[in-house]
Structure formats: C-alpha cells, structure tokens
Amino acid sequence: MSDSSPTQVRLNSDSSPTAIGENTCMTRPSDGTIVAVSTPAGVGGIAVVRVSGSEALRMVLRHLSVSDLSPRHATYCRFDELDDLVAVYFPTGYSGEPTVELSCHGSQYVQQALLQALVDEGAHLAAPGEFTLRAFRHGRLNLSQAEAVADLIDAVTPAQHRLAVSQLRGGYAEQLRQLRQRLLDLTSLMELELDFSQEDVEFANRTELCQLLSTLHFQLSTLIASFRMGNALKRGLPVAIVGLPNAGKSSLLNTLLEDDRAIVSDVPGTTRDTVEELLTLGGVTFRFIDTAGLHRTSDAVESLGIERSLRAVTDARLVLYVHDATTAWRPPELELADKQVIVVMNKCDLEGCQSPVAGCQWPVVQISAKRCDGIDALKQAMLEAVRGELPAEGDVLLSNARHYEALQRVQQALAHVGKGLVDGTPADLLAVDLRDALYHLGAVTGEVANDEILSNVFSRFCVGK
C-alpha cells in the first residue's frame, strides 16, 4: 500500500469538487472521531468508509434511513439520497473505539460525498495509520504487532505472509517482554542499592544477573542473526547474476522475467550498473541483480559498474555464474566460499557448445537464454539451492529494520553491563547501561514509545488503516 494518502475532495454547494490539502488531517488533534475510505483509491464495485470514535454511531445515524444499528450485524439502508449501502456497527472496533463501516458503491463521487457529510458532522479525516495507532494506544496491539499490520497488507508471497502473521500474533515480542520484565526487576533492585550505598549491601544478585545476561545475549544473538534471512524474505532473496562480458547475463534476466528489462547487445560492457528486479518462484521472492561483466578494464565508468557487481556478490544469498558454453571453462575469480552458487552454461544451442567441466564444485545447469531452453530446470535449481535456508513453520525471524537496530543497541548496552560486572563497576554506572537496554527493548514493542518513534512507524501506513 502506498505510504502517501490520496488527496481528499471537498464538495461545494454546487457539488463541484475542490482539493483539500493532503496535510489537512495531519494538523488536527489526535482525539475525536475520524473517518477515511479504507479501500484502495479509485473506482471499484464496492468501497468501505470507516468511521471511528465516540461520536461515530451518532454521526452516521443522522444520515441513515434506519434509527439504530444492531452491534456486529450488517444492516441494509440508505445514506441520505446518496446511496444504498450496508452499515455495520462495532461497539469496540479495530481501533478499540466505537466504529461504523459503510460499504457503499465504489463511485469516487459517492465516496467523497460520504466523507464530506461526516466531516460536516464534526469528524476529522484520518491520517495514515491512525486507526492502527488508536488500536495501539487502546492496548489492542503492541507496537511490533501494529507494524506487522502494514507488512501483512504489503505481503505478496506466502513467505512474506507467514512473517507478518507470526509477528502480528506476538512473534518474539512476548519473549522480549518477559526478558524486559526480569531485567526491570533486577535493575530496580540495583537502583535500590544506591539508596543504601553507605551500608555496602547488594540487593541485586550478581550471579543471577550474569545468568540473565547470558540468556538474553543468546536470544538476542539468535534474533539479530535471523534478520538477514528475515529481511531477505521480506524484500526478496538477493540473487547476483555475474560472469564475464557477453556471457548472456542480461539475456538471462530478461528470459527469467519474460520482459526486456535489461539492454542486450553483442558489444561487451553494455551493462555498466546493477539492474534489480523481483520474481516469485514457488512462493519465494527472488531479487535478481544483473551486474556488469567481470573483467579488467581501463574505462572509469565500467570500473565503477564492476565494483558494484562485487558488492552485489557480497550481499547475495545466491549467485548465478553465467558462462558462455562456446568458450573454454574459466572458474570465477570471486570469493564464493559462503555462497550458494549455480553455474549457468548459456548458449548451449550454438555450435561448439562444451559440456560442463567435470569436478565443478557447484550445480551446473545448461540453458539457452535466447531460446528459453533449460529455464525451468534453472528455476528448480534455484529453489533447491535456498530451500535449506528457508525458515520452518513456527520459526521466529526478525524482519523489521527498526527492531534490528534496537536489539543491536540492547546487546551493546548489556555487553557494557557484563564487562562492568567483571571489572567491579559501581552499581550506579551499571544501572545507567541497564536502563539503556530496557529503553531499547521496550521500544520494540511500544512499552517505551515517544512521538518520534510512533511517527516513523505509522507514516508508512495507508489511509484507512
């Protein structure tokens, strides 16, 4: 879903539309009753207008042909003389407040006229993510679950869906909450020691604190390490297509995508920058990165492209090394020790095509990118190459960059605490690092949340959610 809100329209008395600025709903108070179209912008069979707040039912009933709405029952009725629609009233809706959802015809005129009528009643146009923000503030969701709502909306593959649902249902948030509570208890005891500093007593058990630090370090390390795969599943598993110039890398990309995405030429060095595209195979999204041909060159621009190619290889989960099968085999001069690699012998439809070299340490697939021969076998080989790295059902993966950064800061703070325990650091200094760790742990789930954090989280939501 788009991060930006669609421009709303205000209907004048003569029913001609004029634009309401997109920032109108961002400058109003955060309380009161809000309204928005929750379905995507544009014309469709049905549109849903959501109204949330203490006055939602009263505002809507002033325009309906019925005198009341039964909770959680669909009621067919008329909204003024504008449209026949279905209204559903939730005493405690998604946002944690009284909510009415109006399913009207998808005419843009009808949608905007409904909005205008409710704004005239005193409702405010909802900001992006405001319904979910209210759900968070009413305790219906923690902050990591609220972020998972946006991820669930954006999910286009089974893997992305599983990640979002896992986080929406709690994921690792409950683990962090329990650990934060234990750490909070020990921090409180340590700070209590400061009130009795002259008595030379210890309320916080140092042995227990060391054990907790060890447990937390292990769980944090596991979560942080999972971010690479979690982020890859969310954005697409990075696949670097590399090889010598004119091996057919761009042709392979175009054939896989079934589109002329990359420029193809017999002139070596045509590709001078990386080209990225997404393709979903077997429920897994691959992010293909077509790279410049790897060779020595004095051309400054081409050299920059080759440098980017090498960086793409470093970041890739899978490397497709494309080799021109009409030429002698040359192993790639790349560091590929920790990579999944598939050797793609291209141009196998031409005379002089050579068989794969015996003893090659990687899987070999013979193709003709020009004739589309062997492409299905290559796709299957790609899935097999990454299958062992994909998470099993129920595995918890870190996929949110904000959480990744916060947990890294927690680990750094706890490392200082651990060193301080060994060095005999005074309790007041240990308490500072413990409070820092508590802050960043709480920031993940929203137990600690300032306006800046909330703004960053909800700014990417669509209007109506």
Side-chain angles (χ1 to χ4, degrees), residues 12-69:
N12 296 326
S13 57
D14 61 357
S15 297
S16 59
T18 58
I20 296 177
E22 293 185 1
N23 291 327
T24 300
C25 59
M26 303 299 291
T27 58
R28 55 172 176 67
S30 60
D31 55 0
T33 298
I34 55 174
V35 60
V37 178
S38 291
T39 41
V43 178
I46 293 176
V48 176
V49 175
R50 177 181 281 171
V51 193
S52 179
S54 59
E55 296 295 303
L57 183 59
R58 181 193 66 78
M59 289 180 178
V60 171
L61 285 175
R62 285 176 58 86
H63 296 271
L64 297 186
S65 58
V66 296
S67 60
D68 201 3
L69 295 175

Short mmCIF file of all heavy atoms in Angstrom, two decimals, residues 12-69:
data_model
loop_
_atom_site.label_atom_id
_atom_site.label_comp_id
_atom_site.label_asym_id
_atom_site.label_seq_id
_atom_site.Cartn_x
_atom_site.Cartn_y
_atom_site.Cartn_z
N ASN A 12 -18.49 21.42 -2.77
CA ASN A 12 -19.14 22.70 -2.52
C ASN A 12 -20.66 22.55 -2.66
O ASN A 12 -21.17 21.49 -3.04
CB ASN A 12 -18.63 23.76 -3.51
CG ASN A 12 -17.15 24.00 -3.31
OD1 ASN A 12 -16.65 23.94 -2.20
ND2 ASN A 12 -16.44 24.26 -4.40
N SER A 13 -21.37 23.62 -2.42
CA SER A 13 -22.83 23.55 -2.50
C SER A 13 -23.31 23.20 -3.90
O SER A 13 -24.39 22.66 -4.08
CB SER A 13 -23.43 24.89 -2.07
OG SER A 13 -22.91 25.94 -2.86
N ASP A 14 -22.47 23.52 -4.92
CA ASP A 14 -22.87 23.18 -6.28
C ASP A 14 -22.31 21.83 -6.71
O ASP A 14 -22.35 21.47 -7.88
CB ASP A 14 -22.38 24.26 -7.25
CG ASP A 14 -20.87 24.40 -7.26
OD1 ASP A 14 -20.20 23.68 -6.47
OD2 ASP A 14 -20.36 25.20 -8.07
N SER A 15 -21.79 21.08 -5.74
CA SER A 15 -21.28 19.72 -5.94
C SER A 15 -20.05 19.64 -6.82
O SER A 15 -19.72 18.58 -7.32
CB SER A 15 -22.38 18.81 -6.54
OG SER A 15 -23.44 18.69 -5.64
N SER A 16 -19.37 20.76 -7.04
CA SER A 16 -18.12 20.70 -7.80
C SER A 16 -16.97 20.45 -6.84
O SER A 16 -16.88 21.10 -5.81
CB SER A 16 -17.88 22.00 -8.56
OG SER A 16 -17.83 23.08 -7.66
N PRO A 17 -16.06 19.50 -7.16
CA PRO A 17 -15.00 19.14 -6.22
C PRO A 17 -13.83 20.10 -6.25
O PRO A 17 -13.41 20.55 -7.31
CB PRO A 17 -14.57 17.75 -6.71
CG PRO A 17 -14.88 17.76 -8.16
CD PRO A 17 -16.08 18.63 -8.34
N THR A 18 -13.33 20.45 -5.06
CA THR A 18 -12.09 21.20 -4.96
C THR A 18 -11.19 20.48 -3.98
O THR A 18 -11.66 19.84 -3.04
CB THR A 18 -12.33 22.64 -4.47
OG1 THR A 18 -12.98 22.58 -3.20
CG2 THR A 18 -13.18 23.41 -5.44
N ALA A 19 -9.89 20.56 -4.16
CA ALA A 19 -8.97 19.74 -3.37
C ALA A 19 -8.85 20.24 -1.94
O ALA A 19 -8.80 21.43 -1.69
CB ALA A 19 -7.60 19.74 -4.02
N ILE A 20 -8.85 19.30 -1.01
CA ILE A 20 -8.43 19.57 0.36
C ILE A 20 -6.97 19.16 0.45
O ILE A 20 -6.63 18.05 0.05
CB ILE A 20 -9.24 18.74 1.38
CG1 ILE A 20 -10.71 19.14 1.33
CG2 ILE A 20 -8.71 18.93 2.78
CD1 ILE A 20 -11.58 18.32 2.26
N GLY A 21 -6.10 19.97 0.98
CA GLY A 21 -4.68 19.64 1.03
C GLY A 21 -4.42 18.34 1.76
O GLY A 21 -5.10 17.99 2.71
N GLU A 22 -3.42 17.59 1.32
CA GLU A 22 -3.12 16.28 1.87
C GLU A 22 -2.70 16.36 3.33
O GLU A 22 -2.82 15.40 4.06
CB GLU A 22 -2.01 15.61 1.05
CG GLU A 22 -2.46 15.26 -0.36
CD GLU A 22 -1.39 14.49 -1.11
OE1 GLU A 22 -0.34 14.22 -0.51
OE2 GLU A 22 -1.61 14.16 -2.28
N ASN A 23 -2.20 17.52 3.76
CA ASN A 23 -1.74 17.63 5.14
C ASN A 23 -2.84 18.08 6.10
O ASN A 23 -2.60 18.24 7.28
CB ASN A 23 -0.57 18.63 5.23
CG ASN A 23 0.68 18.08 4.55
OD1 ASN A 23 0.90 16.88 4.56
ND2 ASN A 23 1.46 18.96 3.95
N THR A 24 -4.07 18.27 5.58
CA THR A 24 -5.15 18.75 6.43
C THR A 24 -5.33 17.85 7.65
O THR A 24 -5.46 18.30 8.78
CB THR A 24 -6.47 18.77 5.64
OG1 THR A 24 -6.30 19.64 4.53
CG2 THR A 24 -7.62 19.27 6.50
N CYS A 25 -5.34 16.51 7.42
CA CYS A 25 -5.62 15.59 8.50
C CYS A 25 -4.42 15.40 9.41
O CYS A 25 -4.52 14.74 10.44
CB CYS A 25 -6.07 14.23 7.94
SG CYS A 25 -4.84 13.46 6.88
N MET A 26 -3.27 15.95 9.07
CA MET A 26 -2.08 15.77 9.90
C MET A 26 -1.95 16.89 10.94
O MET A 26 -1.16 16.78 11.87
CB MET A 26 -0.83 15.76 9.02
CG MET A 26 -0.84 14.69 7.93
SD MET A 26 -0.91 13.04 8.61
CE MET A 26 0.71 12.94 9.36
N THR A 27 -2.74 17.98 10.79
CA THR A 27 -2.56 19.12 11.68
C THR A 27 -3.63 19.20 12.76
O THR A 27 -3.62 20.09 13.58
CB THR A 27 -2.60 20.42 10.86
OG1 THR A 27 -3.85 20.49 10.17
CG2 THR A 27 -1.47 20.45 9.85
N ARG A 28 -4.58 18.25 12.77
CA ARG A 28 -5.66 18.29 13.72
C ARG A 28 -5.31 17.52 14.99
O ARG A 28 -4.35 16.78 15.03
CB ARG A 28 -6.91 17.70 13.08
CG ARG A 28 -6.66 16.31 12.56
CD ARG A 28 -7.94 15.66 12.10
NE ARG A 28 -7.68 14.38 11.51
CZ ARG A 28 -7.22 13.33 12.17
NH1 ARG A 28 -6.95 13.43 13.44
NH2 ARG A 28 -7.02 12.19 11.56
N PRO A 29 -6.14 17.64 16.04
CA PRO A 29 -5.89 16.87 17.25
C PRO A 29 -6.02 15.38 16.99
O PRO A 29 -6.70 14.95 16.07
CB PRO A 29 -6.99 17.35 18.21
CG PRO A 29 -7.78 18.36 17.50
CD PRO A 29 -7.28 18.52 16.12
N SER A 30 -5.39 14.56 17.84
CA SER A 30 -5.39 13.11 17.65
C SER A 30 -6.62 12.45 18.25
O SER A 30 -6.84 11.27 18.05
CB SER A 30 -4.13 12.50 18.27
OG SER A 30 -4.09 12.76 19.65
N ASP A 31 -7.46 13.23 19.01
CA ASP A 31 -8.66 12.65 19.58
C ASP A 31 -9.84 12.95 18.66
O ASP A 31 -9.67 13.39 17.54
CB ASP A 31 -8.90 13.18 21.00
CG ASP A 31 -8.93 14.70 21.03
OD1 ASP A 31 -8.77 15.31 19.96
OD2 ASP A 31 -9.12 15.26 22.12
N GLY A 32 -11.06 12.73 19.13
CA GLY A 32 -12.22 12.99 18.31
C GLY A 32 -12.53 11.81 17.42
O GLY A 32 -11.93 10.74 17.51
N THR A 33 -13.50 11.99 16.54
CA THR A 33 -13.95 10.94 15.62
C THR A 33 -13.28 11.13 14.28
O THR A 33 -13.21 12.25 13.77
CB THR A 33 -15.48 10.97 15.49
OG1 THR A 33 -16.06 10.73 16.78
CG2 THR A 33 -15.96 9.92 14.51
N ILE A 34 -12.81 10.05 13.70
CA ILE A 34 -12.08 10.10 12.43
C ILE A 34 -12.82 9.29 11.37
O ILE A 34 -13.58 8.37 11.69
CB ILE A 34 -10.63 9.59 12.57
CG1 ILE A 34 -10.60 8.18 13.16
CG2 ILE A 34 -9.81 10.55 13.40
CD1 ILE A 34 -9.20 7.55 13.20
N VAL A 35 -12.56 9.63 10.12
CA VAL A 35 -13.22 8.96 9.01
C VAL A 35 -12.24 8.85 7.85
O VAL A 35 -11.40 9.74 7.65
CB VAL A 35 -14.49 9.73 8.57
CG1 VAL A 35 -14.16 11.14 8.12
CG2 VAL A 35 -15.23 8.98 7.46
N ALA A 36 -12.33 7.76 7.09
CA ALA A 36 -11.48 7.58 5.91
C ALA A 36 -12.07 6.48 5.04
O ALA A 36 -12.84 5.62 5.51
CB ALA A 36 -10.06 7.20 6.31
N VAL A 37 -11.71 6.52 3.77
CA VAL A 37 -12.00 5.40 2.87
C VAL A 37 -10.93 4.35 3.08
O VAL A 37 -9.74 4.63 2.91
CB VAL A 37 -12.02 5.87 1.40
CG1 VAL A 37 -12.29 4.69 0.48
CG2 VAL A 37 -13.06 6.96 1.19
N SER A 38 -11.33 3.14 3.47
CA SER A 38 -10.35 2.10 3.81
C SER A 38 -9.97 1.22 2.63
O SER A 38 -9.03 0.44 2.73
CB SER A 38 -10.90 1.22 4.94
OG SER A 38 -10.95 1.96 6.15
N THR A 39 -10.72 1.30 1.55
CA THR A 39 -10.37 0.54 0.34
C THR A 39 -9.45 1.37 -0.54
O THR A 39 -9.38 2.60 -0.39
CB THR A 39 -11.65 0.15 -0.41
OG1 THR A 39 -12.57 1.26 -0.39
CG2 THR A 39 -12.33 -1.05 0.25
N PRO A 40 -8.71 0.73 -1.46
CA PRO A 40 -7.76 1.47 -2.30
C PRO A 40 -8.43 2.57 -3.11
O PRO A 40 -9.61 2.45 -3.48
CB PRO A 40 -7.17 0.38 -3.21
CG PRO A 40 -7.37 -0.90 -2.47
CD PRO A 40 -8.65 -0.73 -1.72
N ALA A 41 -7.67 3.62 -3.37
CA ALA A 41 -8.19 4.74 -4.14
C ALA A 41 -8.56 4.28 -5.55
O ALA A 41 -7.92 3.41 -6.13
CB ALA A 41 -7.15 5.85 -4.21
N GLY A 42 -9.62 4.89 -6.09
CA GLY A 42 -10.03 4.56 -7.44
C GLY A 42 -11.46 4.05 -7.48
O GLY A 42 -12.16 4.00 -6.47
N VAL A 43 -11.90 3.65 -8.68
CA VAL A 43 -13.26 3.18 -8.89
C VAL A 43 -13.29 1.66 -8.76
O VAL A 43 -12.43 0.95 -9.27
CB VAL A 43 -13.77 3.59 -10.29
CG1 VAL A 43 -15.17 3.06 -10.52
CG2 VAL A 43 -13.75 5.11 -10.44
N GLY A 44 -14.29 1.16 -8.03
CA GLY A 44 -14.44 -0.28 -7.87
C GLY A 44 -15.89 -0.61 -7.63
O GLY A 44 -16.75 0.27 -7.52
N GLY A 45 -16.19 -1.90 -7.49
CA GLY A 45 -17.56 -2.30 -7.23
C GLY A 45 -18.05 -1.81 -5.89
O GLY A 45 -19.19 -1.36 -5.75
N ILE A 46 -17.19 -1.90 -4.88
CA ILE A 46 -17.55 -1.52 -3.52
C ILE A 46 -16.41 -0.71 -2.91
O ILE A 46 -15.24 -0.99 -3.17
CB ILE A 46 -17.83 -2.77 -2.66
CG1 ILE A 46 -19.08 -3.50 -3.15
CG2 ILE A 46 -18.01 -2.41 -1.19
CD1 ILE A 46 -19.36 -4.79 -2.43
N ALA A 47 -16.75 0.25 -2.08
CA ALA A 47 -15.78 0.98 -1.27
C ALA A 47 -16.25 0.91 0.18
O ALA A 47 -17.45 0.83 0.45
CB ALA A 47 -15.65 2.43 -1.73
N VAL A 48 -15.31 0.94 1.10
CA VAL A 48 -15.63 0.90 2.52
C VAL A 48 -15.17 2.19 3.17
O VAL A 48 -13.99 2.55 3.09
CB VAL A 48 -14.97 -0.31 3.22
CG1 VAL A 48 -15.24 -0.26 4.73
CG2 VAL A 48 -15.48 -1.62 2.63
N VAL A 49 -16.09 2.88 3.80
CA VAL A 49 -15.79 4.09 4.56
C VAL A 49 -15.84 3.71 6.04
O VAL A 49 -16.86 3.19 6.52
CB VAL A 49 -16.78 5.22 4.25
CG1 VAL A 49 -16.52 6.42 5.16
CG2 VAL A 49 -16.68 5.63 2.79
N ARG A 50 -14.75 3.98 6.75
CA ARG A 50 -14.65 3.61 8.16
C ARG A 50 -14.73 4.87 9.02
O ARG A 50 -14.03 5.86 8.75
CB ARG A 50 -13.34 2.87 8.41
CG ARG A 50 -13.07 2.50 9.84
CD ARG A 50 -11.74 1.79 9.98
NE ARG A 50 -11.82 0.39 9.59
CZ ARG A 50 -10.76 -0.40 9.46
NH1 ARG A 50 -9.54 0.08 9.65
NH2 ARG A 50 -10.91 -1.66 9.12
N VAL A 51 -15.56 4.81 10.06
CA VAL A 51 -15.73 5.93 10.99
C VAL A 51 -15.43 5.39 12.38
O VAL A 51 -15.98 4.36 12.79
CB VAL A 51 -17.16 6.51 10.96
CG1 VAL A 51 -17.21 7.85 11.68
CG2 VAL A 51 -17.67 6.62 9.54
N SER A 52 -14.55 6.08 13.14
CA SER A 52 -14.15 5.58 14.44
C SER A 52 -14.07 6.71 15.46
O SER A 52 -13.54 7.77 15.16
CB SER A 52 -12.78 4.88 14.35
OG SER A 52 -12.35 4.42 15.61
N GLY A 53 -14.62 6.46 16.64
CA GLY A 53 -14.60 7.46 17.69
C GLY A 53 -15.89 7.43 18.49
O GLY A 53 -16.86 6.76 18.12
N SER A 54 -15.91 8.17 19.57
CA SER A 54 -17.06 8.13 20.47
C SER A 54 -18.35 8.60 19.82
O SER A 54 -19.45 8.20 20.20
CB SER A 54 -16.77 8.97 21.72
OG SER A 54 -16.50 10.32 21.34
N GLU A 55 -18.24 9.46 18.79
CA GLU A 55 -19.42 10.01 18.13
C GLU A 55 -19.74 9.32 16.82
O GLU A 55 -20.61 9.79 16.06
CB GLU A 55 -19.22 11.51 17.88
CG GLU A 55 -19.09 12.35 19.14
CD GLU A 55 -20.39 12.33 19.94
OE1 GLU A 55 -21.44 12.70 19.37
OE2 GLU A 55 -20.36 11.92 21.12
N ALA A 56 -19.05 8.23 16.51
CA ALA A 56 -19.19 7.59 15.20
C ALA A 56 -20.64 7.17 14.92
O ALA A 56 -21.20 7.49 13.86
CB ALA A 56 -18.27 6.38 15.12
N LEU A 57 -21.27 6.46 15.87
CA LEU A 57 -22.63 5.97 15.63
C LEU A 57 -23.61 7.14 15.47
O LEU A 57 -24.46 7.14 14.57
CB LEU A 57 -23.06 5.06 16.77
CG LEU A 57 -24.44 4.41 16.62
CD1 LEU A 57 -24.51 3.56 15.36
CD2 LEU A 57 -24.79 3.56 17.85
N ARG A 58 -23.52 8.13 16.35
CA ARG A 58 -24.43 9.27 16.26
C ARG A 58 -24.31 9.99 14.93
O ARG A 58 -25.32 10.33 14.29
CB ARG A 58 -24.14 10.25 17.40
CG ARG A 58 -25.07 11.48 17.40
CD ARG A 58 -24.57 12.56 18.32
NE ARG A 58 -23.30 13.13 17.87
CZ ARG A 58 -23.21 14.02 16.88
NH1 ARG A 58 -24.29 14.42 16.22
NH2 ARG A 58 -22.03 14.51 16.55
N MET A 59 -23.06 10.22 14.49
CA MET A 59 -22.84 10.94 13.23
C MET A 59 -23.44 10.20 12.04
O MET A 59 -24.06 10.79 11.16
CB MET A 59 -21.34 11.15 13.01
CG MET A 59 -20.71 12.14 13.95
SD MET A 59 -18.93 12.30 13.61
CE MET A 59 -18.47 13.55 14.80
N VAL A 60 -23.23 8.87 12.02
CA VAL A 60 -23.72 8.08 10.89
C VAL A 60 -25.24 8.00 10.90
O VAL A 60 -25.90 8.14 9.86
CB VAL A 60 -23.09 6.67 10.93
CG1 VAL A 60 -23.75 5.76 9.90
CG2 VAL A 60 -21.58 6.75 10.65
N LEU A 61 -25.85 7.77 12.07
CA LEU A 61 -27.31 7.59 12.15
C LEU A 61 -28.07 8.83 11.68
O LEU A 61 -29.21 8.72 11.23
CB LEU A 61 -27.71 7.23 13.57
CG LEU A 61 -27.42 5.79 14.01
CD1 LEU A 61 -27.76 5.59 15.48
CD2 LEU A 61 -28.19 4.79 13.14
N ARG A 62 -27.46 10.00 11.78
CA ARG A 62 -28.13 11.22 11.32
C ARG A 62 -28.39 11.19 9.82
O ARG A 62 -29.20 11.97 9.31
CB ARG A 62 -27.28 12.44 11.67
CG ARG A 62 -27.34 12.81 13.15
CD ARG A 62 -26.41 13.97 13.46
NE ARG A 62 -26.71 15.16 12.68
CZ ARG A 62 -27.61 16.08 13.02
NH1 ARG A 62 -28.30 15.94 14.14
NH2 ARG A 62 -27.82 17.14 12.27
N HIS A 63 -27.71 10.28 9.10
CA HIS A 63 -27.84 10.25 7.64
C HIS A 63 -28.47 8.95 7.14
O HIS A 63 -28.71 8.81 5.94
CB HIS A 63 -26.46 10.42 7.00
CG HIS A 63 -25.84 11.75 7.29
ND1 HIS A 63 -26.04 12.86 6.50
CD2 HIS A 63 -25.04 12.15 8.31
CE1 HIS A 63 -25.38 13.89 7.01
NE2 HIS A 63 -24.76 13.48 8.11
N LEU A 64 -28.71 7.98 8.03
CA LEU A 64 -29.22 6.69 7.58
C LEU A 64 -30.74 6.64 7.63
O LEU A 64 -31.39 7.36 8.39
CB LEU A 64 -28.65 5.56 8.45
CG LEU A 64 -27.13 5.35 8.41
CD1 LEU A 64 -26.75 4.11 9.21
CD2 LEU A 64 -26.61 5.25 6.98
N SER A 65 -31.28 5.72 6.85
CA SER A 65 -32.75 5.56 6.79
C SER A 65 -33.26 4.67 7.91
O SER A 65 -34.46 4.39 7.98
CB SER A 65 -33.15 4.96 5.44
OG SER A 65 -32.50 3.69 5.25
N VAL A 66 -32.40 4.24 8.82
CA VAL A 66 -32.79 3.45 9.99
C VAL A 66 -32.46 4.25 11.24
O VAL A 66 -31.59 5.12 11.22
CB VAL A 66 -32.07 2.07 10.01
CG1 VAL A 66 -32.50 1.22 8.82
CG2 VAL A 66 -30.56 2.26 10.03
N SER A 67 -33.13 3.91 12.34
CA SER A 67 -32.95 4.68 13.57
C SER A 67 -31.84 4.14 14.44
O SER A 67 -31.38 4.83 15.36
CB SER A 67 -34.26 4.70 14.37
OG SER A 67 -34.66 3.37 14.70
N ASP A 68 -31.42 2.90 14.19
CA ASP A 68 -30.36 2.32 15.01
C ASP A 68 -29.68 1.20 14.24
O ASP A 68 -30.22 0.70 13.23
CB ASP A 68 -30.93 1.78 16.33
CG ASP A 68 -29.85 1.65 17.41
OD1 ASP A 68 -28.69 2.05 17.15
OD2 ASP A 68 -30.17 1.16 18.51
N LEU A 69 -28.50 0.80 14.70
CA LEU A 69 -27.76 -0.31 14.11
C LEU A 69 -27.48 -1.34 15.19
O LEU A 69 -26.95 -1.00 16.25
CB LEU A 69 -26.43 0.18 13.51
CG LEU A 69 -26.51 1.14 12.32
CD1 LEU A 69 -25.11 1.63 11.94
CD2 LEU A 69 -27.18 0.47 11.12
#
